[in-house]
Amino acid sequence: MSEVCVRVAVRIRPLLPKEVLHSHQVCVRVVPGSAQVMLGSDRVFPFDHAFGPTASQDEVYESCVQPLVESLVHGYNATVFCYGQTGSGKTYTLGGGNLDEDGGIIDRVAQDVFFLLGEKRRNSDGVEATVRVSYMELYREELRDLLELHTMHKELHIREDEKGNTGNKNLFSD
Ligand SMILES: Nc1ncnc2c1ncn2[C@@H]1O[C@H](COP(=O)(O)OP(=O)(O)OP(=O)(O)O)[C@@H](O)[C@H]1O
């Protein structure tokens, strides 16, 4: 993996059936054989990766995320986040649901983390690993814990400790 700390990938989703129905036009394309996208006919922007509408979930995961999962089990920190306007494909890219060919980044990371930890454990004596997961949604200033369905309506807060570490606390639990 490259030495660069932050890498940016752009993914162009295909037109949705309703967009095709309304004769919407594609205005952004990947420059063939490059990691650049062309907006309109002459404005070119370079990225670390550029994926067009036919790119598979697997392709995106293997190029952008899998190397990070491998470094994770060697003790490095990694963050992946999706950014874009509403309807641009963040949920599709991250989520997906089933771990078939449509499975998104979260599904694939979960599978690979346990696979790689299992391998590490088999190959080196005494290796112990703890995996913790939290799954939050911040929507219209409201924070929801998606793994705690019973606390859906309780008020959750993001708090910061004296070292600047952030975490969320269920208001009613302490
Ligand atoms: N690469 C893709 N291939 C096929 N369909 C896609 C792709 N990316 C997104 N879509 C479809 O486009 C629609 C919008 O995508 P999605 O819901 O992921 O957007 P979003 O960025 O999460 O939007 P919001 O911010 O409003 O939650 C969905 O119907 C999704 O299935």
Side-chain angles (χ1 to χ4, degrees), residues 149-163:
L149 295 181
H150 300 301
T151 64
M152 283 247 294
H153 303 295
K154 290 186 182 176
E155 213 178 340
L156 296 172
H157 279 275
I158 297 174
R159 294 195 180 148
E160 205 171 288
D161 67 15
E162 66 282 2
K163 289 183 189 142

Side-chain angles (χ1 to χ4, degrees), residues 35-165:
Q36 298 178 321
V37 297
M38 188 184 285
L39 194 58
S41 58
D42 56 353
R43 295 173 66 197
V44 175
F45 298 89
F47 293 90
D48 296 299
H49 302 274
F51 301 98
T54 58
S56 66
Q57 296 280 65
D58 204 36
E59 230 175 305
V60 172
Y61 177 73
E62 274 188 15
S63 328
C64 302
V65 185
Q66 198 167 42
L68 297 176
V69 179
E70 281 159 14
S71 52
L72 192 73
V73 298
H74 290 112
Y76 294 93
N77 292 326
T79 299
V80 175
F81 75 94
C82 291
Y83 177 82
Q85 75 174 62
T86 184
S88 56
K90 304 179 294 294
T91 308
Y92 180 90
T93 297
L94 274 179
N98 305 319
L99 191 53
D100 50 17
E101 61 190 35
D102 284 338
I105 287 172
I106 294 173
D107 311 69
R108 289 163 201 268
V109 165
Q111 195 184 49
D112 274 1
V113 161
F114 286 103
F115 174 76
L116 292 172
L117 287 176
E119 251 191 354
K120 203 174 165 97
R121 207 172 166 175
R122 272 191 298 282
N123 297 337
S124 34
D125 274 348
V127 169
E128 295 258 341
T130 304
V131 177
R132 290 198 184 88
V133 176
S134 54
Y135 194 21
M136 301 292 161
E137 179 183 67
L138 183 56
Y139 184 63
R140 294 188 176 172
E141 305 290 322
E142 256 180 43
L143 189 63
R144 281 203 297 169
D145 187 338
L146 299 175
L147 298 178
E148 273 273 15
L149 295 181
H150 300 301
T151 64
M152 283 247 294
H153 303 295
K154 290 186 182 176
E155 213 178 340
L156 296 172
H157 279 275
I158 297 174
R159 294 195 180 148
E160 205 171 288
D161 67 15
E162 66 282 2
K163 289 183 189 142
N165 299 315

